[in-house]
Amino acid sequence: MALDVGTEEPKHTSPIMPSEDKLPLQSSRTVFPRTQLAFDITENLAKFPHCILLTRVGNFYESYFDQAIEVARLLTIKLTTRSWGGQRVPMCGFPLAHLDRHLKRLVQTNKRFAAVCEEFRRRDGSFERRVVRVVTPGTLIDESFVDHFENNYLLAVSTSEGREFTPQSVGLAWTDVATGEFYSQTVSMDSLRDEIARIGPRELVLSSSLKSDSSSPIQQALAEEEVTVSYIDLPPDPYPSKALTVLEHMSSETETEPSTPVCSHNESSAIALLTGFLQESLLEHMPHIAAFSPTHQSSESRVHIDAHTIKALELREGNREGGVTGSLMSAIKRTVTSSGTRLLGRWLCVHFVVVKVIIPDLSLIMLSLTRIGSPSTVASTINSRQALVAVFHSLPHLRNDLVRLLKQSEDATRIVQKFLLGKGDMEDLLAIRDTIRIWSRIRDITESELDSTSTVTDQINLSESDKQDRATLRSAIGTFADLRNLAEKIDLAVDESVATKKGKTIAGGDVEGIDEAILEGEDLDIAPQATSLGGESRPWSIKPQFSSLLTGLHDKLSRLYSERTTMELDLQVRCGVSSLALGSATFQGWHVRITKTKNLRNLGELSELGLFEVSRSASSRTYLYAPWTALGTSLMETEAAIYQAEKAAFASLRSEVKIYGTELRRNGRISDELDVALAFANLAEELKLVRPTLDNSNEYNVVNGRHPAVELGLLNNGRNFVPNSVHLHPRSRLHVITGPNMAGKSTLLRQTALIAILAQTGSFVPAEFARIGIVDKVFSRIGAKDDIYRDRSTFMVEMLETAEILKKATEKSLVIMDEVGRGTTVKDGLAIAFATIHHLYTVNKCRTLFATHFHNLADMLGYNGEGLSSPHVKGVFPDVDFYCTDVDEIGDGYFTYSHRMHKGVNRDSHGLKVAQMAGMPTGVIAIALETLERLQDEASTSAGIPNATAMRSVGEAVYHSRQ
């Protein structure tokens, strides 16, 4: 059923916005509206009490009453007053051109909602002012401050309240309003935080019933996310009365017969919340599409990466400097389009199953866009991506040609969505035309290249794998829809030299005004002064040959202008004045103006010619001339007809783009995937990456692997990265890694996980050889900090992360853990570390790298050697192996780290060397060295950890030795 929000006021609040007593106020005193403007403002303030109201008045957006005080403070603009109702009220304002700049500060920076009120001229000359859109952090469309390289998701989270309530699961529905992508999913309550971290929404929408329920599991899960939260009433019956129909949504965008319903009640509830919020926010920009088709997502065919692992591995953001510096995304990004970059970001953390859910009774909004995301667990998907990368890597000239073309393409997905939202303009039409032509060039160049290498000789030289890879590329290119007819129609219609002159113009006017007129079906009046007076028609955005109507009108207009020129010359001769000119003005209408009147004939002679004086000045006289009035009226009417015909032409072109919306989106998706594949190929060429082999085994064999981000950082500083090999397999599935601080243990752990993620994303990997059994989940327990706000110490945070891993890891998972058990006593920490390994080994049975400074742990696990080269004697943990790094002493107190991993156990962490490198005072280092020597002596004599008496003796001895 359609979501009925009725006439109730929207209900939106945010826990990170000011408390209710600090929300923008309408007025602290009663002001009786004496004007229509004042009445409109007070009425809109009452309708949108949760928003800052920005009212358009002429060429400014203005704010009034107590809101003006808040707006002036937030935007750092001047606060003034105006007289209303017999008293002064606060007000402030800014020019129309500054709207985006100030929306950024209000919405993005200060997390306020802004209601944008536009004015529309009525036929009687008065204005209607109404709110056309509420701008929130999650409903940005085409604002200049929107980052086109990232998705701006709005996410709704819901449970099916009162109906088959399942506290263990929740429904998710999220969309990017600017691109039209729409997805839904059912997840467990335990994984809600991980899913939110993966999606990365800018705004969350919850049912208003959860607003005051701080004990709700959903609220508790969201408490750790710094994101705007809004609330809205859930409809009484958010579930469609008809059965949910699920259609297979294949890459060709063809629909098959309905299959088993997969959209849960929780998802339906989330979809209802999301669309209800969008209806209240987008208002007149809500596209009218008959069916709402979110793409249903499943977690079965994607790699699960939890929230902590996303941060610990720095997939999208770096931990040190903020932003993307040092992240995997920054290291591998070679995409050249904004949409390709967005897809790359999703491929690192997101996977969408190709299923379309249709809810017939919801008359809602957006076309779905199926994205095959990653890291994937489906071998065919991974191999298809790798095939494209391999072909482009082997054909550098083709790769360079396609990259050059893609750099010139536009973001088709966003442009199509702008037209669906009623915001497309002439420049967007030209962008669609140019992008279609680029797609055609990409297809032609690629097919030509593939045809040129299909000779008998070339086929003999190609391996079967190469042939399959090229067949994959040919198949991908073949799915491009041929849209050249649309491009030709736009080219036939739009005059590029005019449409792009002075920004966005159409028929000499503001596109936004034209858009509104088209949407409202208004007839805009053309004032006489709007007609060109230079003897030629003003420039028009639509070419005359677009339609027979426009051709006829332009022919008529040219004829009328020719008559105008003839009339002007004739009057100049008859009056004997070369300065005579035909013109028009608002108050004088169509008139004749004569300057330099010294030799002007007397008034009677001019009257005989039909010129009747209406005004004069020291330098000119103005006359009325009936033939010119008639001709000027015809000119005005003809230009007005052309203006209306251009409006109709623009509307038809907009409709044409909407009709081809599915094909444009599909081509955009193919273009994005080509962009990512080309980026991976360039990355492979630049960083010497290799194509990994993936299978369904439980092996992980990487020879001389490298950390891509760390390697780039070292290369920028003139240093080389030391590669390392890791070979996990059923007879060696858990590696215990020991070694000094700063010797690369954490880097090895991270690079092991990143190589698996890159491989299952479809990229080549930084190694000399890689064979990886497909991983279903990647877990990381590396790095932690306390969470005082939630009463969690650093150790508690580490234990929470460890617990999650032990509960969720499977035999197909890859786990990296560093320093489990630190932050407590040595005995407690050692016990926790051993218990963790025991569980990973006997229960989870996953592939694991476990780095530790508890070298005694190796003894507990059966390591029976005394030196680094001693063999590992298999005990009760036969599938555990031991590796370590070391420090090379080079004399005179100097040393170097040996980052190369080798078999064995290192029983010295060399922490004092790190302290010395950090610049600790020399005296402190000396005391630490002496203390360490005495502790080692005591430990050797006491056959273990020294007792309290021995420890006191060590302390006293060190103290006296320094006196």
Side-chain angles (χ1 to χ4, degrees), residues 546-715:
F546 177 71
S547 66
S548 59
L549 174 61
L550 276 169
T551 301
L553 288 172
H554 277 281
D555 288 344
K556 180 181 179 180
L557 187 64
S558 297
R559 188 168 58 253
L560 292 172
Y561 271 109
S562 178
E563 293 178 13
R564 175 196 181 284
T565 302
T566 301
M567 180 182 292
E568 188 174 70
L569 291 173
D570 180 63
L571 284 174
Q572 288 173 355
V573 171
R574 293 169 65 187
C575 295
V577 180
S578 61
S579 62
L580 182 148
L582 303 178
S584 68
T586 302
F587 299 106
Q588 296 173 329
W590 306 100
H591 62 270
V592 178
R593 177 162 297 180
I594 301 176
T595 58
K596 301 178 182 178
T597 58
K598 290 183 179 181
N599 299 325
L600 186 64
R601 298 176 182 179
N602 62 50
L603 185 59
E605 294 177 349
L606 293 179
S607 298
E608 293 176 359
L609 297 175
L611 296 169
F612 301 95
E613 185 175 356
V614 293
S615 67
R616 68 169 59 192
S617 67
S619 60
S620 68
R621 297 180 185 181
T622 303
Y623 301 86
L624 292 181
Y625 184 56
W628 168 231
T629 300
L631 179 59
T633 301
S634 295
L635 279 169
M636 180 187 71
E637 291 174 348
T638 304
E639 288 199 348
I642 293 175
Y643 184 84
Q644 295 297 331
E646 286 207 344
K647 283 170 54 181
F650 178 70
S652 69
L653 291 171
R654 171 184 283 176
S655 298
E656 197 84 10
V657 171
K658 292 180 181 179
I659 291 171
Y660 285 101
T662 300
E663 290 82 359
L664 286 166
R665 288 172 181 270
R666 184 196 305 137
N667 283 8
R669 181 175 67 249
I670 298 167
S671 175
D672 293 346
E673 295 183 1
L674 289 177
D675 187 17
V676 176
L678 288 163
F680 283 162
N682 279 323
L683 184 71
E685 177 73 21
E686 179 184 337
L687 299 184
K688 310 303 180 186
L689 311 185
V690 299
R691 182 176 183 173
T693 300
L694 288 103
D695 53 36
N696 291 318
S697 69
N698 287 341
E699 185 178 7
Y700 180 100
N701 185 12
V702 171
V703 177
N704 287 331
R706 311 185 304 276
H707 190 300
V710 174
E711 182 180 26
L712 281 177
L714 291 174
L715 289 175

Side-chain angles (χ1 to χ4, degrees), residues 220-510:
Q220 293 177 357
L222 301 182
E224 299 184 17
E225 302 299 323
E226 296 181 0
V227 61
T228 302
V229 179
S230 301
Y231 298 87
I232 186 172
D233 284 340
L234 188 66
D237 184 10
Y239 315 104
S241 57
K242 297 180 182 179
L244 298 177
T245 303
V246 180
L247 299 177
E248 294 296 330
H249 193 51
M250 306 307 293
S251 59
S252 61
E253 304 267 341
T254 58
E255 297 180 353
T256 61
E257 293 299 318
S259 58
T260 307
V262 297
C263 189
S264 68
H265 286 304
N266 286 340
E267 284 181 71
S268 300
S269 176
I271 291 169
L273 276 178
L274 186 64
T275 54
F277 184 84
L278 287 171
Q279 285 172 331
E280 291 189 357
S281 299
L282 295 181
L283 297 174
E284 296 185 14
H285 290 289
M286 194 81 164
H288 304 286
I289 297 177
F292 175 53
S293 305
T295 301
H296 178 75
Q297 179 182 341
S298 169
S299 59
E300 295 177 356
S301 52
R302 67 174 175 86
V303 177
H304 174 85
I305 307 175
D306 63 23
H308 171 73
T309 301
I310 291 174
K311 295 177 182 178
L313 296 182
E314 301 176 280
L315 296 182
R316 294 187 294 212
E317 296 181 353
N319 292 331
R320 291 166 295 279
E321 301 177 12
V324 300
T325 303
S327 67
L328 177 65
M329 184 69 176
S330 68
I332 69 171
K333 179 191 171 300
R334 301 295 185 276
T335 47
V336 295
T337 67
S338 57
S339 52
T341 303
R342 293 196 306 270
L343 179 60
L344 174 61
R346 289 191 294 271
W347 277 20
L348 289 178
C349 300
V350 184
H351 178 86
F352 299 120
V353 173
V354 195
V355 177
K356 185 167 71 174
V357 180
I358 295 180
I359 307 178
D361 282 4
L362 287 180
S363 181
L364 299 174
I365 62 164
M366 292 188 180
L367 293 174
S368 68
L369 180 63
T370 304
R371 290 288 189 188
I372 306 297
S374 187
S376 176
T377 59
V378 181
S380 59
T381 299
I382 300 169
N383 291 332
S384 295
R385 293 179 185 161
Q386 289 184 353
L388 297 181
V389 178
V391 175
F392 291 139
H393 186 259
S394 65
L395 300 173
H397 52 285
L398 174 62
R399 183 172 76 238
N400 294 334
D401 288 343
L402 297 189
V403 168
R404 176 179 52 81
L405 287 171
L406 284 174
K407 285 181 178 179
Q408 304 171 37
S409 67
E410 300 288 343
D411 194 334
T413 302
R414 284 186 179 272
I415 295 175
V416 170
Q417 187 66 7
K418 284 177 66 176
F419 280 105
L420 292 174
L421 295 170
K423 295 179 71 67
D425 54 47
M426 286 292 185
E427 286 191 14
D428 292 322
L429 286 175
L430 293 174
I432 289 287
R433 179 203 65 183
D434 295 341
T435 301
I436 290 174
R437 290 174 173 174
I438 288 171
W439 290 338
S440 298
R441 287 285 296 147
I442 288 174
R443 183 180 58 194
D444 294 343
I445 289 175
T446 305
E447 289 179 346
S448 175
E449 175 64 29
L450 294 176
D451 290 341
S452 68
T453 58
S454 61
T455 63
V456 175
T457 303
D458 289 328
Q459 288 296 305
I460 293 175
N461 294 331
L462 291 176
S463 66
E464 285 301 318
S465 176
D466 292 334
K467 294 177 183 177
Q468 292 176 4
D469 292 346
R470 299 192 178 202
T472 300
L473 176 58
R474 188 182 292 276
S475 176
I477 292 296
T479 57
F480 265 123
D482 188 351
L483 299 174
R484 284 175 291 186
N485 287 338
L486 176 60
E488 291 172 2
K489 189 168 186 177
I490 294 173
D491 190 52
L492 177 66
V494 181
D495 188 330
E496 184 171 358
S497 63
V498 177
T500 57
K501 186 179 180 181
K502 296 181 181 179
K504 301 175 180 178
T505 60
I506 175 172
D510 186 2

Side-chain angles (χ1 to χ4, degrees), residues 834-845:
F834 178 80
T836 300
I837 289 181
H838 184 277
H839 194 279
L840 290 169
Y841 184 88
T842 60
V843 178
N844 304 109
K845 299 181 180 179

Side-chain angles (χ1 to χ4, degrees), residues 504-560:
K504 301 175 180 178
T505 60
I506 175 172
D510 186 2
V511 168
E512 294 298 330
I514 297 299
D515 291 350
E516 293 296 344
I518 292 172
L519 291 175
E520 297 298 322
E522 299 175 2
D523 293 325
L524 301 184
D525 295 330
I526 306 296
Q529 65 269 24
T531 301
S532 172
L533 302 178
E536 296 180 357
S537 176
R538 62 184 172 184
W540 300 95
S541 295
I542 303 295
K543 296 177 182 177
Q545 60 267 34
F546 177 71
S547 66
S548 59
L549 174 61
L550 276 169
T551 301
L553 288 172
H554 277 281
D555 288 344
K556 180 181 179 180
L557 187 64
S558 297
R559 188 168 58 253
L560 292 172

Side-chain angles (χ1 to χ4, degrees), residues 799 819-822 827-840 850-852 854 857 860-861:
M799 291 299 97
E819 304 300 341
V820 173
R822 67 178 181 180
K827 291 182 179 179
D828 284 355
L830 184 59
I832 291 172
F834 178 80
T836 300
I837 289 181
H838 184 277
H839 194 279
L840 290 169
F850 192 99
T852 182
F854 294 137
L857 191 61
M860 299 173 69
L861 293 170

Side-chain angles (χ1 to χ4, degrees), residues 857-963:
L857 191 61
D859 302 324
M860 299 173 69
L861 293 170
Y863 184 80
N864 194 24
E866 296 182 355
L868 297 182
S869 61
S870 299
H872 169 214
V873 179
K874 301 289 184 178
V876 294
F877 297 95
D879 301 334
V880 175
D881 271 318
F882 302 87
Y883 291 84
C884 66
T885 56
D886 204 359
V887 166
D888 295 329
E889 303 285 354
I890 56 178
D892 297 328
Y894 292 98
F895 64 93
T896 61
Y897 287 110
S898 174
H899 296 287
R900 179 74 69 173
M901 202 71 56
H902 58 86
K903 280 196 170 185
V905 173
N906 191 328
R907 300 182 183 275
D908 193 343
S909 295
H910 296 279
L912 295 185
K913 290 184 170 60
V914 177
Q916 185 176 0
M917 291 173 60
M920 289 187 70
T922 305
V924 174
I925 297 297
I927 293 174
L929 286 170
E930 181 181 349
T931 303
L932 179 61
E933 292 176 359
R934 292 180 181 275
L935 286 173
Q936 290 173 341
D937 292 341
E938 289 291 341
S940 63
T941 57
S942 59
I945 300 176
N947 56 33
T949 302
M951 297 296 287
R952 184 168 59 250
S953 299
V954 169
E956 291 175 352
V958 173
Y959 177 80
H960 291 302
S961 69
R962 295 291 159 176
Q963 298 305 309

